[in-house]
C-alpha cells in the first residue's frame, strides 16, 4: 500500500520530469536518431553522426570557446561593478539615490536596439567594433541592471550587524568583505552569475552589431544551422545550449568551494 | 579606572539620544545598564564599541582616549542580541576569527591552541568541528562569548545577549555567564531591561531613562534607596508616600483597628495572592494613590478584603523633589 503522501510526491516528480527533463532528453535522443518522431521514437536507427559534424566544424568550436569566454568575462565584470554599486545603494543614504537607482535600471527600460546603434558609432570611433572586448562591453548593457538589482536585494537582506560583529572583533572593512560578506552573500552571487551568464549566452543582435560577424558566438551560428535541414545537428546544437549554463554552474560552484576553503585556511 | 565616560552626548539629527553621561567602571567589575526601550542604553553601548560616534564628550579606556578610534581598533568587543556566528565557519573557526583576521594576528598553531582553551572554558570543547546551525541557542551564545573573550578585550559589551533565548535557558545561562565573567575577571558593561538580570550580573547598576542616568550605585542601594520615583518604578518594589519611598519589606497588612499610633496607615484592597520563594505575597491596591504593590503577609487574606497598609515613617528615603511631583 502506497501512502497518500508518497503518491503525491511521485506525481510531482513525474510532472517535473515530463515538463523539464523529458524534453531535453528527447532532444538529445533526436540528435542521435533524427528519425525519432512521436510515436515511433525508438524504431529508427541511431548514431553519433550529428555530434561528429558539430565537433569537426571549426566554426562551432571557435564559437563555443568565444561564448564561454565572453560569458565568463561578463559575469566577472558584472560582479566587480555590481557589488560596490549594490553595497552603496543598500548601505548608504544620500541625495539623489532614487535617481541614481533608476539611471542604473535604464538600460533595460529603453529598447536595447536604440542604445546599440548609438554605441556602435562610439565603438567604431574608439576601435572596439569587431573585437571581443567590444562584445563583452556591450553584453554588460542587458546584464548589469539585473546584477545590481540581485546584489542589492542580497545586501538588503543581510543585516548590517554582521559587519558590526566583525568590526568589534577587530577586523577591518576590507577583510570583513572577503571573509564574511561574500560567504554570506553566496545565494545572491550564485543567482547573479547564472542570470548574467544565460543572458549573455542568449545575445544575438548585440553580438552581431558590435562583433560585426568577426566575433562569432553560438547564437550567431545557431540560426544558420537552424535553417539547415539536418534536424539531428540542430538537436545536438540545442543540447549544447541547454548544457552550457549547467556546466557553467558546476564550474562556478567549484570555484565557490575553492574560495570558501581559501577563506577558512588563510 | 578601566573605563570612563565623560559628558558623553549623542544626538541624531535633531533628536537627542543621551546627554552628559558620566560613568566609571573599575577593572574586573560588571556594570549593568538598565532602562526601558528607547532610553538610549543600546546607543550608548554602540558608542563605546565605536559603531556610532559621540556628538560630544569622551570615552576613555585604560586612560586612553578612544572617542575617535575606529571600532576595529578599540580594545572592546561587543556581544549582540543574536549570537551572529558565521554560518560558513566551524565553531573553532568562529572562535578564532578575530585572531586570524583581526588587529593582533596570531599564527595557526597558537590560534587553534587558544581557540580550544576558550571552547573548554565555555564547556563546548567537543563541538569544535560542528557548524553553528548544529548548536542550540544557548550554546551559540557561549561560542559568541568565547569568540569575544579570546581577544582579551579590556571591556566586553553585552547588548541584551539573553533576550533571544527561551526563559528556562535564559535562567541558567545568565548565572553561568555571571560566574564565568567573575572567574575570568572580565570588565563588562551589560545592557538589559530586566531588573533581575541586572542584579544577577551587575556589581553596580546604572538606571537610564530619557537619555540620562537617574541613579548609579550598588543593587542594594538602588533597590532600597531609589533616588527618584522613576527609579523606584523601574527598579524597586514598594510605594511612594508623600515624597518618600517605602520599600515593600517595610509594609505590613493589618485590619483597620490594628495599626499602632506611631504608624502611618493607608486604606487598601487585596487583589490576589501568589506564592514566591516559599512565602505568600498579596497584591494590594492603595486606595488614595491607586498604586499596586506586592506585600508579604503570614496572615490569610481574601480577595476584596479591605485592609490597612501600615508602616513606620523614617524619612530616610526622600525622593528628589522635582521628579516626585508626578
Amino acid at each position: 500500500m502506497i501512502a497518500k503522501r508518497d503518491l503525491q510526491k511521485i506525481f510531482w516528480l513525474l510532472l517535473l520530469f515530463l515538463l523539464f527533463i523529458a524534453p531535453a532528453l528527447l532532444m538529445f535522443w533526436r540528435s542521435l536518431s533524427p528519425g525519432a518522431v512521436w510515436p515511433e521514437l525508438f524504431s529508427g536507427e541511431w548514431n553519433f553522426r550529428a555530434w561528429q559534424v558539430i565537433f569537426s566544424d571549426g566554426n562551432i568550436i571557435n564559437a563555443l570557446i568565444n561564448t564561454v569566454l565572453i560569458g565568463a568575462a561578463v559575469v566577472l565584470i558584472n560582479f566587480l561593478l555590481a557589488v560596490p554599486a549594490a553595497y552603496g545603494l543598500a548601505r548608504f543614504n544620500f541625495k539623489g539615490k532614487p535617481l541614481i537607482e533608476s539611471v542604473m535600471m535604464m538600460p533595460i527600460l529603453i529598447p536595447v536596439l536604440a542604445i546599440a546603434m548609438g554605441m556602435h558609432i562610439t565603438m567604431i570611433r574608439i576601435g572596439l567594433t569587431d573585437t571581443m572586448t567590444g562584445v563583452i562591453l556591450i553584453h554588460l548593457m542587458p546584464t548589469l541592471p539585473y546584477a545590481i538589482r540581485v546584489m542589492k536585494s542580497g545586501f538588503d537582506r543581510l543585516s548590517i550587524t554582521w559587519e558590526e560583529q566583525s568590526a568589534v572583533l577587530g577586523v577591518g572593512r576590507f577583510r570583513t568583505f572577503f571573509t564574511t560578506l561574500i560567504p554570506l552573500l553566496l545565494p545572491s552571487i550564485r543567482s547573479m552569475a547564472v542570470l548574467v551568464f544565460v543572458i549573455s549566452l542568449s545575445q544575438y543582435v548585440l553580438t552581431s552589431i558590435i562583433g560585426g560577424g568577426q566575433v562569432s558566438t553560438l547564437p550567431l551560428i545557431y540560426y544558420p544551422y537552424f535553417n539547415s535541414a539536418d534536424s539531428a545537428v540542430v538537436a545536438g546544437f540545442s543540447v549544447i545550449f541547454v548544457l552550457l549554463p549547467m556546466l557553467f554552474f558546476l564550474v562556478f560552484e567549484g570555484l565557490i568551494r575553492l574560495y570558501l576553503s581559501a577563506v577558512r585556511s588563510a | 579606572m578601566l573605563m570612563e565616560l565623560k559628558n558623553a552626548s549623542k544626538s541624531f539629527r535633531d533628536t537627542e539620544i543621551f546627554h552628559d553621561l558620566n560613568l566609571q567602571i573599575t577593572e574586573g567589575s560588571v556594570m549593568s545598564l538598565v532602562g526601558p526601550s528607547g532610553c538610549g542604553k543600546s546607543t550608548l553601548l554602540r558608542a563605546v564599541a565605536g559603531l556610532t560616534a559621540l556628538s560630544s564628550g569622551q570615552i576613555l579606556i585604560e586612560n586612553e582616549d578612544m572617542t575617535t578610534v575606529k571600532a576595529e581598533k578599540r580594545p572592546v568587543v561587543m556581544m549582540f542580541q543574536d549570537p551572529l556566528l558565521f554560518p560558513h565557519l566551524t565553531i573553532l573557526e568562529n572562535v578564532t576569527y578575530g585572531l586570524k583576521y583581526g588587529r593582533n594576528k596570531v599564527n595557526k598553531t597558537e590560534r587553534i591552541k587558544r581557540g580550544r582553551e576558550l571552547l573548554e572554558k565555555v564547556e563546548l570543547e567537543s563541538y569544535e568541528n560542528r557548524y553553528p546551525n548544529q548548536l542550540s541557542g544557548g550554546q551559540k551564545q557561549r561560542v559568541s562569548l568565547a569568540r569575544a573573550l579570546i581577544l582579551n578585550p579590556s571591556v566586553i559589551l553585552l547588548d541584551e545577549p539573553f533576550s533571544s533565548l527561551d526563559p528556562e535557558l535564559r535562567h541558567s545561562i545568565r548565572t553561568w555567564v555571571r560566574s564565568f565573567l567573575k572567574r575570568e575577571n572580565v570588565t563588562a558593561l551589560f545592557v538589559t531591561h530586566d531588573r533581575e538580570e541586572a542584579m544577577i550580573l551587575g556589581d553596580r547598576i546604572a538606571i537610564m531613562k530619557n537619555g540620562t542616568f537617574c541613579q548609579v550605585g550598588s543593587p542594594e542601594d538602588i533597590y532600597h534607596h531609589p533616588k527618584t520615583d522613576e527609579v523606584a518604578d523601574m527598579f524597586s518594589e514598594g510605594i511612594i508616600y508623600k515624597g518618600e519611598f517605602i520599600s515593600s519589606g517595610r509594609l505590613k497588612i493589618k485590619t483597620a483597628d490594628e495599626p499602632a499610633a506611631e504608624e502611618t496607615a493607608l486604606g487598601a484592597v487585596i487583589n490576589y495572592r501568589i506564592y514566591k520563594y516559599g512565602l505568600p505575597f498579596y497584591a494590594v491596591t492603595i486606595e488614595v494613590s491607586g498604586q499596586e504593590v506586592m506585600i508579604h503577609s503570614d496572615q490569610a487574606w481574601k480577595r476584596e478584603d479591605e485592609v490597612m497598609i501600615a508602616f513606620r515613617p523614617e524619612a530616610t528615603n526622600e525622593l528628589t523633589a522635582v521628579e516626585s511631583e508626578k
Side-chain angles (χ1 to χ4, degrees):
Chain A
M1 186 67 191
I2 303 170
K4 198 181 163 201
R5 275 186 53 187
D6 286 338
L7 269 177
Q8 272 182 356
K9 211 168 159 185
I10 291 169
F11 170 77
W12 288 114
L13 282 176
L14 214 63
L15 196 69
L16 202 73
F17 178 81
L18 273 176
L19 290 179
F20 295 99
I21 299 170
L25 285 179
L26 194 64
M27 201 149 64
F28 180 65
W29 180 243
R30 279 291 293 272
S31 72
L32 300 177
S33 171
V37 179
W38 187 267
E40 279 144 24
L41 282 181
F42 303 105
S43 54
E45 60 176 40
W46 65 278
N47 52 49
F48 289 103
R49 186 191 51 84
W51 290 95
Q52 278 162 355
V53 171
I54 290 172
F55 284 110
S56 61
D57 187 337
N59 286 332
I60 296 186
I61 302 297
N62 180 36
L64 193 64
I65 293 171
N66 279 349
T67 307
V68 172
L69 285 181
I70 291 171
V74 171
V75 168
L76 182 71
I77 298 173
N78 261 288
F79 178 79
L80 295 177
L81 295 177
V83 168
Y87 186 83
L89 288 175
R91 288 286 186 263
F92 301 104
N93 275 314
F94 46 86
K95 250 189 183 167
K97 185 168 149 179
L99 183 74
I100 289 181
E101 256 192 286
S102 22
V103 167
M104 283 176 172
M105 289 308 282
M106 277 314 206
I108 49 174
L109 299 177
I110 294 171
V112 119
L113 218 50
I115 311 174
M117 292 308 187
M119 290 289 281
H120 190 211
I121 296 168
T122 313
M123 286 211 180
I124 289 172
R125 284 205 193 110
I126 52 179
L128 281 176
T129 44
D130 305 353
T131 64
M132 285 275 271
T133 318
V135 174
I136 289 169
L137 279 179
I138 203 73
H139 277 198
L140 291 179
M141 216 170 60
T143 53
L144 194 53
Y146 292 114
I148 293 174
R149 263 290 141 105
V150 171
M151 292 315 297
K152 180 179 179 285
S153 63
F155 278 115
D156 282 339
R157 273 197 303 272
L158 201 65
S159 163
I160 194 163
T161 46
W162 287 104
E163 286 154 71
E164 294 178 341
Q165 175 68 78
S166 189
V168 294
L169 290 170
V171 182
R173 271 182 180 227
F174 193 68
R175 268 171 188 275
T176 297
F177 179 80
F178 288 102
T179 59
T180 300
L181 287 190
I182 290 207
L184 289 172
L185 279 170
L186 280 180
S188 303
I189 293 173
R190 272 194 197 98
S191 19
M192 187 274 285
V194 173
L195 185 70
V196 165
F197 188 79
V198 173
I199 294 176
S200 163
L201 187 64
S202 319
Q203 293 308 315
Y204 179 84
V205 178
L206 289 181
T207 315
S208 69
I209 292 174
I210 304 297
Q214 299 300 306
V215 181
S216 157
T217 60
L218 281 183
L220 292 195
I221 55 174
Y222 192 35
Y223 281 96
Y225 265 94
F226 214 93
N227 291 330
S228 80
D230 196 336
S231 68
V233 174
V234 173
F237 218 124
S238 305
V239 169
I240 292 180
F241 255 98
V242 172
L243 284 182
L244 216 48
M246 292 189 193
L247 281 176
F248 171 78
F249 193 66
L250 281 180
V251 172
F252 193 74
E253 209 50 45
L255 289 175
I256 286 176
R257 294 279 155 84
L258 278 180
Y259 180 82
L260 282 181
S261 66
V263 163
R264 297 169 52 166
S265 66
Chain B
M1 210 46 60
L2 196 100
M3 196 194 118
E4 212 174 340
L5 294 180
K6 284 186 178 168
N7 301 320
S9 302
K10 171 78 183 174
S11 304
F12 186 70
R13 299 218 176 96
D14 297 330
T15 323
E16 192 176 63
I17 314 281
F18 54 77
H19 56 90
D20 291 322
L21 297 181
N22 290 289
L23 191 71
Q24 299 187 328
I25 305 178
T26 52
E27 191 173 351
S29 74
V30 179
M31 172 73 79
S32 289
L33 199 54
V34 196
S37 50
C39 70
K41 58 189 194 299
S42 286
T43 311
L44 176 59
L45 207 64
R46 292 172 58 80
V48 176
L51 297 173
T52 183
L54 286 182
S55 307
S56 66
Q58 271 186 311
I59 298 167
L60 302 178
I61 295 170
E62 290 174 318
N63 297 319
E64 271 184 64
D65 188 356
M66 288 288 149
T67 318
T68 55
V69 176
K70 278 186 183 172
E72 60 262 33
K73 301 251 159 75
R74 294 191 190 191
V76 169
V77 181
M78 178 156 159
M79 260 180 83
F80 295 81
Q81 289 185 16
D82 296 312
L84 295 172
L85 300 183
F86 305 119
H88 56 287
L89 303 178
T90 64
I91 298 309
L92 185 64
E93 286 164 345
N94 261 287
V95 171
T96 55
Y97 181 82
L99 291 181
K100 192 164 161 185
Y101 299 113
R103 211 165 39 244
N104 308 310
K105 286 178 197 60
V106 169
N107 71 47
K108 195 170 179 177
T109 354
E110 176 68 13
R111 221 159 55 209
I112 292 174
K113 194 180 134 241
R114 281 174 59 186
R116 289 195 172 132
E117 262 170 44
L118 254 299
L119 278 179
E120 212 167 295
K121 281 183 184 166
V122 299
E123 295 151 40
L124 288 169
E125 62 272 31
S126 57
Y127 289 81
E128 63 169 66
N129 290 320
R130 306 264 188 111
Y131 282 87
N133 61 10
Q134 297 169 297
L135 265 59
S136 72
Q139 290 172 329
K140 282 186 203 165
Q141 275 304 8
R142 269 146 67 194
V143 174
S144 184
L145 188 63
R147 180 175 63 179
L149 292 178
I150 202 170
L151 300 170
N152 288 322
S154 302
V155 185
I156 180 163
L157 309 170
L158 307 160
D159 186 10
E160 308 207 20
F162 314 126
S163 61
S164 60
L165 305 175
D166 59 72
E168 223 168 287
L169 195 58
R170 203 172 161 149
H171 244 81
S172 62
I173 200 171
R174 63 196 188 187
T175 323
W176 184 90
V177 167
R178 158 81 197 177
S179 51
F180 186 85
L181 293 178
K182 285 291 126 192
R183 197 165 57 234
E184 303 291 322
N185 196 34
V186 178
T187 312
L189 182 55
F190 169 61
V191 158
T192 181
H193 60 261
D194 186 295
R195 183 178 66 191
E196 225 170 285
E197 241 163 45
M199 283 195 266
I200 294 172
L201 269 91
D203 298 301
R204 284 163 64 76
I205 289 172
I207 309 278
M208 197 169 176
K209 194 172 181 191
N210 298 331
T212 53
F213 292 140
C214 308
Q215 193 171 352
V216 181
S218 69
E220 300 77 33
D221 191 35
I222 298 180
Y223 185 78
H224 291 300
H225 309 288
K227 276 192 190 149
T228 70
D229 58 347
E230 282 166 338
V231 175
D233 261 0
M234 257 190 278
F235 204 77
S236 307
E237 284 153 312
I239 59 167
I240 293 160
Y241 179 70
K242 290 191 176 164
E244 187 194 349
F245 172 75
I246 299 122
S247 161
S248 169
R250 287 171 54 204
L251 301 173
K252 292 187 176 61
I253 307 179
K254 298 192 168 178
T255 51
D257 48 349
E258 261 186 317
E262 69 272 25
E263 281 183 328
T264 308
L266 302 169
V269 178
I270 304 277
N271 294 328
Y272 57 85
R273 177 185 61 197
I274 59 158
Y275 288 95
K276 227 175 176 186
Y277 321 118
L279 297 171
F281 285 84
Y282 292 89
V284 178
T285 306
I286 312 279
E287 273 161 5
V288 275
S289 60
Q291 297 177 91
E292 195 185 80
V293 62
M294 302 295 296
I295 304 173
H296 162 64
S297 172
D298 287 322
Q299 263 175 283
W301 304 99
K302 289 197 304 292
R303 218 173 262 236
E304 312 280 325
D305 270 358
E306 303 213 351
V307 294
M308 298 303 277
I309 301 302
F311 58 92
R312 286 166 203 278
E314 281 171 10
T316 50
N317 277 330
E318 267 181 59
L319 301 167
T320 36
V322 188
E323 276 132 323
S324 60
E325 272 171 10
K326 194 168 81 176

